[in-house]
């Protein structure tokens, strides 16, 4: 290789391949994505701080405090609100060159790593289940979330709906399991079931129009319940359990509805084929 060839090769490698100037300009939607990432980071910090503080005070014993869980969940719900609005803001105003990548990276933190870490805090300090089983369930949540986001960037459904359980809804369902149940093999199996739904081919409807307003209202109601729970844990316990139960029921009902819908379509196709025959 001559010096000229080497110089031309280096020039080709160093040549920018995209709109570098525009890539460094953050839009309003990017600010929401970054806010989502910060909320996920703070949620992890709150849970880690609760563990460190109690381990220092109680001499090696740790029981997850409901108030810290509630604070972490409020942060994740705020992150979910940012995630709900960043796409709307991007369509209404403008999107930067790295908006989609920022959104996915923020979702990995808030709805992948933070819920996985919450599973570890919830079940990793108990004798009821093996620690490795807890780690496996937490890792499944993280891996499924990463795969779900990567597939979302590559695969588009014909209907325009989500293929697989959206990662924010998956995270909220994992959190609901943590709030409702004590660590056990069955509750860990439920966490694994949520991870499977995220990478499944079941189509979930996108929150548009009135559905988006309903989702936002549901988030706000849960934030209010959780805030009440932080101040008065005993008084807010029942609303939190009701909200968590509704979340799990919703996520379980959608696949069942899809199965019934497809069965009806097959029966209709068979009737049409019978009449034509």
């Amino acid at each position: 290789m001559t010096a000229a060839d080497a110089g031309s090769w280096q020039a080709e490698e160093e040549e920018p391949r995209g709109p570098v100037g525009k890539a460094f300009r953050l839009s309003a939607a990017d600010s929401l994505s970054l806010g989502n990432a910060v909320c996920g980071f703070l949620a992890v910090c709150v849970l880690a701080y609760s563990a460190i503080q109690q381990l220092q005070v109680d001499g090696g014993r740790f029981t997850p405090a409901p108030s810290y869980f509630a604070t972490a969940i409020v942060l994740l719900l705020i992150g979910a609100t940012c995630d709900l609005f960043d796409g709307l803001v991007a369509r209404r105003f403008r999107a930067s060159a790295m908006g989609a990548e920022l959104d996915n990276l923020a979702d990995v933190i808030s709805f992948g790593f933070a819920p996985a870490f919450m599973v570890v805090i919830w079940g990793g300090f108990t004798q009821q289940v093996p620690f490795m089983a807890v780690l496996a369930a937490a890792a499944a949540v993280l891996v499924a979330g990463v795969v779900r986001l990567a597939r979302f960037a590559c695969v588009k459904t014909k209907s325009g709906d989500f293929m697989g359980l959206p990662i924010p809804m998956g995270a909220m369902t994992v959190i609901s399991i943590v709030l409702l149940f004590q660590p056990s093999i069955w509750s860990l199996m439920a966490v694994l079931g949520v991870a499977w739904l995220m990478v499944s081919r079941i189509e979930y409807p996108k929150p548009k129009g009135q559905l988006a307003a309903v989702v936002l209202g549901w988030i706000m109601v849960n934030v209010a319940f959780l805030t009440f729970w932080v101040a008065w844990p005993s008084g807010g316990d029942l609303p939190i359990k009701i909200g968590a139960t509704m979340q799990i029921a919703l996520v379980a009902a959608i696949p069942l509805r899809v199965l019934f819908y497809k069965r009806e379509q097959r029966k209709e196709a068979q009737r049409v084929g019978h009449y034509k025959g």
Side-chain angles (χ1 to χ4, degrees), residues 41-251:
F41 169 72
L42 292 177
V44 172
C45 289
V46 166
L47 294 172
Y49 176 76
S50 70
I52 293 171
Q53 185 184 49
Q54 192 168 354
L55 288 172
Q56 289 175 342
V57 173
D58 294 344
R61 294 188 302 274
F62 172 69
T63 303
S67 60
Y68 285 105
F69 267 93
T71 304
I73 296 167
V74 167
L75 288 166
L76 293 183
L77 285 170
I78 295 173
T81 304
C82 292
D83 184 63
L84 180 65
F85 277 102
D86 60 2
L88 299 175
V89 172
R91 288 189 292 271
R92 178 64 178 84
F93 298 100
R94 66 177 180 86
S96 71
M98 55 182 177
E101 286 73 15
L102 277 178
D103 186 30
N104 281 345
L105 290 171
D107 285 350
V108 168
I109 297 171
S110 293
F111 309 126
F113 179 69
F117 188 76
M118 188 175 291
V119 170
V120 174
I121 294 295
W122 164 69
F125 295 89
T126 179
Q127 301 299 323
Q128 299 177 13
V129 288
F131 182 68
M132 293 305 297
V134 176
L135 283 183
V141 172
L142 177 61
V143 170
V146 172
V147 172
R148 171 72 182 77
L149 290 170
R151 189 176 66 184
F152 174 74
C154 301
V155 179
K156 303 299 180 183
T157 60
K158 293 181 180 179
S159 63
D161 293 333
F162 294 114
M163 180 182 291
L165 180 66
I167 187 172
M169 188 176 289
M172 292 303 116
T173 308
V174 169
I175 291 169
S176 298
I177 294 170
V178 169
L179 289 175
L180 282 177
F181 304 106
Q182 292 296 320
S184 67
I185 295 298
W186 294 110
S187 54
L188 290 180
M189 292 294 292
V191 171
L192 291 174
V194 175
W196 175 80
L197 284 175
M198 282 195 283
V199 296
S200 70
R201 296 189 177 185
I202 298 172
E203 292 187 7
Y204 285 79
K206 279 188 176 181
K208 301 175 184 177
Q210 293 182 348
L211 182 58
V214 170
V215 171
L216 178 61
W218 176 85
I219 291 174
M220 294 297 102
V221 169
N222 277 277
V223 168
F225 284 161
L226 286 161
T227 304
F228 186 72
W229 190 34
V230 172
W232 299 282
S234 59
D237 187 58
L238 181 60
I240 287 299
K241 289 184 177 180
I242 293 174
T245 303
M246 290 176 62
Q247 170 67 25
I248 294 174
L250 175 66
V251 170

